[in-house]
Amino acid sequence: EIVLTQSPGTLSLSPGERATLSCRASQSVRSTYLVWYQQKPGQAPRLLIYGASSRATGIPDRFSGSGSGTDFTLTISRLEPEDSAVYYCQQYGGHRSSSLTFGGGTKVVIK
Amino acid sequence: QVQLQQSGPGLVKPSETLSLTCTVSGGSIRSYYWNWFRQPPGKGLEWIGYIHYNGNTDYNPSLKSRVTTSVDTSKNQFSLKLSAVTAADTAVYYCAKWEGSIEAPDIWGQGTVVTVSS
């Protein structure tokens, strides 16, 4: 099983600041199958980034993803109050791989 | 735009079977793979498995022995059954549509809180 480790656990920043969230995999992940979600309390996850770096429909351009292999990053360039949430990375091993795992999440708190 | 509406009981007794249904609107159930996820209280997300209307399935190895999924094309619904539940299966359960063009679950149901308790 591919283990995804997200850091930091919590990030406390002010509006307008830049947030950098890390997702490290225990073995190489195809970029095609690396995804980022945003989840607010009481809500379902919202797809932000797919294919490691492509923004999902309707996602503001202040969200960007990068990385390859075992190291991936989600960057929020200019934090806004509504960005307060937990962010998860997720990998998929491909059809019939029986392998889809999530990182433990990074909580972003806007001061 | 595809929308997903979940239904099913919020309380299940230990050792019994959890059953949830997800109704698809705004699109055909034949067009996508359909996934189930869950999230225990205060914890992270866990993938349960997926099903395609043609019968193709794949499941999380840790749950595979207890999971059954099905598709009813006449009702545009897909379902999850998880047998022999324990308190550890208490979670919010989500259904989700897998978008093949981007290889990711892009549309999620509203979530169903399921508590396992006698």
Side-chain angles (χ1 to χ4, degrees), chain B residues 5-12 18-22 36 110 112-114:
Chain B
Q5 180 66 41
Q6 297 180 220
S7 57
L11 181 64
V12 182
L18 177 161
S19 296
L20 296 173
T21 297
C22 193
W36 291 97
Q110 80 276 21
T112 300
V113 177
V114 178

Side-chain angles (χ1 to χ4, degrees), chain B residues 68-81:
Chain B
T68 304
T69 56
S70 60
V71 172
D72 186 337
T73 54
S74 67
K75 295 181 180 178
N76 238 31
Q77 293 178 336
F78 61 104
S79 298
L80 168 72
K81 291 186 187 299

Side-chain angles (χ1 to χ4, degrees), chain A residues 37 39 43 50 88 96 98, chain B residues 39 50 56 58 94 102 105:
Chain A
Y37 300 95
Q39 188 179 34
Q43 296 184 16
Y50 64 90
Y88 293 97
R96 296 295 197 148
S98 303
Chain B
Q39 185 170 35
Y50 71 63
N56 285 344
D58 196 10
Y94 295 101
I102 63 173

